[in-house]
Amino acid sequence: MTHAPAKAMMERDRASRALGMVVEQSEPGSATVRMLIRDDMLNGFDVTHGGFVFSLADTAFAIACNEDERVTLASGADIVFLKPTTAGQTLTATARVRARSGRTGLYDVSVTDDDGEPVAEFRGRSHTTTRTA
């Protein structure tokens, strides 16, 4: 199930679509997104390039923080890589709101592998704009 603002945003999200991301679940304040790691997503050491792990987490974060018609953007994010992955594995990013106050928010995203093992932890900070989607 995908809530309406996230569904509309994802229909226009060419980057996430090109990476093969699939929204498993979304509701205001939370989202789960998965992505199969392809060979062209590997770095020079044959492990998943960190930028793709970050992109997956960032997409789950974006879905979770866009709760209504107001456009909410990232104001910053940090990631900690915990375990390497490689082609053929499916990564799952699960985002949850930690706190919201006024136009700012704090979200945590856990990225796991096929076995449910932690791959990365991402913390995103959001800013709700005056724009509408």
Side-chain angles (χ1 to χ4, degrees):
M1 173 192 309
T2 302
H3 65 288
K7 183 174 175 27
M9 178 186 69
M10 289 306 293
E11 286 173 355
R12 296 183 305 270
D13 188 337
R14 295 170 299 280
S16 296
R17 186 172 40 254
L19 293 174
M21 293 184 199
V22 176
V23 179
E24 293 289 318
Q25 172 276 330
S26 83
E27 58 188 52
S30 72
T32 303
V33 181
R34 68 178 164 79
M35 179 177 72
L36 175 65
I37 301 303
R38 304 182 312 238
D39 190 60
D40 62 344
M41 296 175 170
L42 302 183
N43 65 20
F45 299 109
D46 284 334
V47 299
T48 307
H49 189 289
F52 292 110
V53 178
F54 187 97
S55 293
L56 176 64
D58 188 46
T59 294
F61 163 55
I63 293 168
C65 67
N66 277 279
E67 299 184 4
D68 56 32
E69 72 284 347
R70 296 173 300 163
V71 174
T72 300
L73 302 171
S75 62
D78 301 294
I79 193 164
V80 176
F81 300 106
L82 302 169
K83 176 182 176 184
T85 57
T86 194
Q89 291 185 273
T90 298
L91 302 185
T92 302
T94 304
R96 299 268 185 264
V97 63
R98 296 284 297 141
R100 285 192 64 142
S101 180
R103 292 172 45 182
T104 62
L106 184 67
Y107 295 77
D108 286 336
V109 184
S110 294
V111 179
T112 57
D113 65 14
D114 297 308
D115 298 322
E117 294 293 319
V119 170
E121 291 293 329
F122 171 107
R123 176 160 275 187
R125 296 169 299 283
S126 70
H127 175 77
T128 302
T129 70
T130 57
R131 290 180 41 203
T132 57

